[in-house]
Amino acid sequence: MQDLTSLWESVLNKLELNVSNVSFVMWFKPLKVVDFVDGKKLIIASNSTSAKNQIMRNYFDKLSKSVEDVFGENIEISILDQNEELEYIKQNGDKTKEKEVEVTKNPFNAKYTFDNFVVGKSNQFVYAAARAIAEHPGEKFNPLFIYGGVGLGKTHLLHAIGNFLKESNPNLNVLYVTCEQFANDYIESLGSAPSSKSKAVLQFRTKYRNLDVLMVDDIQFISKKTSTQEEFFYTFNELYQNNKQIVITSDRPPRDIETLTDRLRSRFTSGLIQDIQSPDLETKIAILRKKCQIEKYSIDDEAIYTIAENVNSNIRELEGMLSKVYFLASLSNKHTATKEDVMEAIDSQIEEDKNEGLTTDDIIDAVCKYFDITRADIVGKKKSKEVVEPRMIAIYLIIEILEIPLISVGKIFGGRDHSTIGHSRDKIADQIKTSHKTQTFISEIKKMLKGG
């Protein structure tokens, strides 16, 4: 059992590593946890309606991921503004101080099932293979090696296999891990004290070799870990020789995984290798409709078609655009999202994408051009007002746009201490709230960076 406040602190610690310092200080640090209802719903309070909307619009995915890492999967998150918080406490009392929480993480995401996996021309064969091994583990297609780009459904299929086996044969010992987790577990066992090292290694091997089904996600990350490859080879052999099912995913086929040992590549190619491709238009529409059904989104057919036609990357971004469209519609108190909401979301995404590819040099050059100063001045030691303010603005923009750590920014600006960099960032962030002049500076430099 853990105190709810300490668990929330763990969430904030994870968020601090995944958003810019400015964003963390402005939007996340003021958040506080109010309640955790029935182990299913996390109630969070923001300090303003604008903060709530900013998080919902731009950072909800990162917040959800951090909550999932600490509290487990399938946790509903509700963010309250100040008035909503007062009303909630009035009705329910302040639960934060006395509540303790038992966190038990479900290894398989309940949303990822075979029923929720939309089958089309791009994935029908890999779906059939995954379904077959879920129904007859160790008997068909062993190992099953699935490869394809990011966000196309590989992880969904692994969780679907796990959920199916958990329901149909709960006595089976099924383990899903990422390649990184496997490597970390192995390294941790080797790093134990000499007196307990043998025991730690034995525990590691017991965990991974006494399984009925082993599923490893993103195996391509094993390519540069020589000792981990060797350990995985012996784990693979132990399971395979005992007719235990192995499922592996990667972003590329075995032949294209660099520095993979020949004997592991041989093992990976000994079963069924199946790719998963980007969905066609009809499949994308079906995916969006399924998502609307699951999430209870009300979005008209023209809007769904427009999303499917304009998002060509992967399923994850397709579903992300759908959520963004529904959120924008809800901000306008619209019951059903329309094509106009889609176009607004797409325009917003285009603006965000324009920041991609920017470098620190691009930002410094833009600031220098705007204020008519030299690069030597802005990264140097001059302390005149004509240089100090542009320097702080450049520091602020680099941290906000590129989310670069303070220490790294300090090195760019003549080896300045991270606390000095943090002070510059915070000062500009404060001025933006009160100074129209500073707001204009930031706005116009951002337009320059976007080619406007």
Side-chain angles (χ1 to χ4, degrees), residues 108 173-177 181 207-208 211-216:
F108 303 113
N173 191 0
V174 182
L175 179 63
Y176 162 84
V177 292
Q181 185 179 341
K207 173 183 176 180
Y208 281 97
L211 294 170
D212 295 299
V213 180
L214 173 62
M215 297 185 286
V216 183

Side-chain angles (χ1 to χ4, degrees), residues 1-14 33 36 42 66-67 69-72 99-103:
M1 301 288 281
Q2 289 180 268
D3 178 74
L4 183 57
T5 303
S6 66
L7 286 168
W8 178 245
E9 287 296 324
S10 297
V11 173
L12 290 178
N13 290 338
K14 288 181 176 294
V33 65
F36 190 44
L42 189 64
S66 297
V67 169
D69 287 345
V70 175
F71 285 85
K99 177 163 276 189
E100 291 191 338
V101 180
E102 183 174 1
V103 179

Side-chain angles (χ1 to χ4, degrees), residues 367 371-394 413 416:
V367 173
F371 289 103
D372 193 23
I373 59 177
T374 68
R375 183 183 179 90
D377 287 337
I378 203 169
V379 301
K381 303 296 183 183
K382 284 188 178 181
K383 295 183 179 180
S384 60
K385 186 178 186 301
E386 292 76 14
V387 172
V388 169
E389 187 173 24
R391 181 184 295 138
M392 290 193 297
I393 287 174
F413 287 85
R416 284 176 166 83

